[in-house]
Amino acid sequence: MIHTTPGSADRWDISNEEFMERMTESAKAAIDYFGRRVTYVNVMRNMSVSYM
């Protein structure tokens, strides 16, 4: 999984920086696999993000 250290019982035990790095590598792997057969759709319209 992207958000878990292998062998750990805690599903969210990695830092934010490591999570972002794994997400970036995962997205790159998907683009490398699908190549030019990928369509980008903007789904962020009217979305609000806030940190606690």
Side-chain angles (χ1 to χ4, degrees), residues 25-38:
E25 290 182 11
S26 176
K28 182 184 182 314
I31 297 302
D32 288 348
Y33 178 79
F34 290 108
R36 299 184 55 83
R37 297 173 296 215
V38 174

